[in-house]
Amino acid sequence: KVREFANSKRALMICDEVQTGFGRTGSLFACDSDYYGDDVAPDILTMAKGIASGFPLSGVATYREIANQCDPGMLGGTYAGNALSCAAAIATQKVIQEENLVENSVKMGERLRDNLRSIQQSEVSKGLIGDVRGLGLMTGVEFIKEAEAGIKAKLSQACVEENLLLLGCSTYEVVRFVPPLNISEEDIDIGCEKFENALKSVL
């Protein structure tokens, strides 16, 4: 529908894949995911972070007819043209392909959400987890409005005590799981156990 809307307004559709690109969501780019259907072809796609395993590199992809409308340097940035970062990007893409990390993102993401939904349905959550959602290895756990204000910050701190690093995200009470693409089933299970322990200490 977004694609249709953009076409109807003769507007460019831009997909920001800085955080979601390169396997994070179970496909090379989130806009390629089955979740969004087959017609989400952006006019402009931005990328960074996962492209070079965190080395400072970013990119913009678009069609020639759009790029030709830009003056030289208009689509540049401070993360462009770093030789070391470009080498890291090449190595990163080889590893993603050779080690089947996109496929692993799908498989481990499903295991992660299954584990988290089990916690959601257990007595540990006290009915305060409203939703577990995500694609690939980007997953959010959202607490309902009846949960204590600031629960995501308290829970994140409790997770630190369990040697688990989680980030709060959004303006709502949501904690985000973004483990490495090469994570194993064992580490998924250990992480969820640590999350459950932290949840017990906070609730």
Side-chain angles (χ1 to χ4, degrees), residues 2-197:
V2 175
R3 176 75 274 177
E4 292 175 5
F5 179 79
N7 290 345
S8 71
K9 301 297 182 181
R10 300 185 64 193
L12 296 178
M13 179 178 168
I14 303 172
C15 286
D16 177 0
E17 297 271 7
V18 168
Q19 291 192 47
T20 55
F22 300 98
R24 171 57 54 195
T25 57
S27 53
L28 193 59
F29 294 104
C31 61
D32 294 331
S33 170
D34 293 338
Y35 179 82
Y36 295 106
D38 298 327
D39 62 343
V40 184
D43 299 299
I44 298 174
L45 186 145
T46 63
M47 63 197 91
K49 294 186 178 181
I51 192 174
S53 296
F55 274 78
L57 188 69
S58 62
V60 178
T62 188
Y63 297 99
R64 185 179 302 277
E65 54 267 31
I66 295 174
N68 287 343
Q69 300 300 312
C70 300
D71 293 330
M74 184 179 288
L75 293 180
T78 55
Y79 282 176
N82 182 303
L84 178 60
S85 295
C86 289
I90 292 170
T92 296
Q93 302 316 304
K94 286 182 178 178
V95 169
I96 288 174
Q97 185 174 16
E98 291 171 1
E99 297 186 13
N100 300 312
L101 295 187
V102 175
E103 293 82 357
N104 194 63
S105 178
V106 173
K107 184 179 177 182
M108 294 301 102
E110 290 173 353
R111 186 178 186 92
L112 173 62
R113 285 183 291 280
D114 285 346
N115 286 357
L116 292 172
R117 287 181 179 126
S118 292
I119 295 171
Q120 176 188 19
Q121 294 164 9
S122 74
E123 293 180 0
V124 173
S125 75
K126 298 184 178 179
L128 295 176
I129 295 178
D131 194 19
V132 174
R133 61 181 178 273
L135 292 172
L137 282 170
M138 181 176 277
T139 294
V141 174
E142 182 171 3
F143 290 84
I144 61 175
K145 62 183 180 180
E146 286 78 13
E148 180 183 359
I151 185 70
K152 66 181 176 184
K154 292 179 180 178
L155 182 56
S156 295
Q157 185 57 47
C159 285
V160 170
E161 302 300 321
E162 294 285 335
N163 297 314
L164 178 67
L165 298 179
L166 293 183
L167 290 173
C169 62
S170 91
T171 57
Y172 300 101
E173 298 290 353
V174 181
V175 290
R176 181 175 57 173
F177 290 75
V178 283
L181 300 185
N182 63 350
I183 194 167
S184 66
E185 290 184 354
E186 180 182 7
D187 285 338
I188 287 285
D189 294 346
I190 290 171
C192 289
E193 183 179 345
K194 290 177 178 292
F195 176 73
E196 186 173 18
N197 290 339

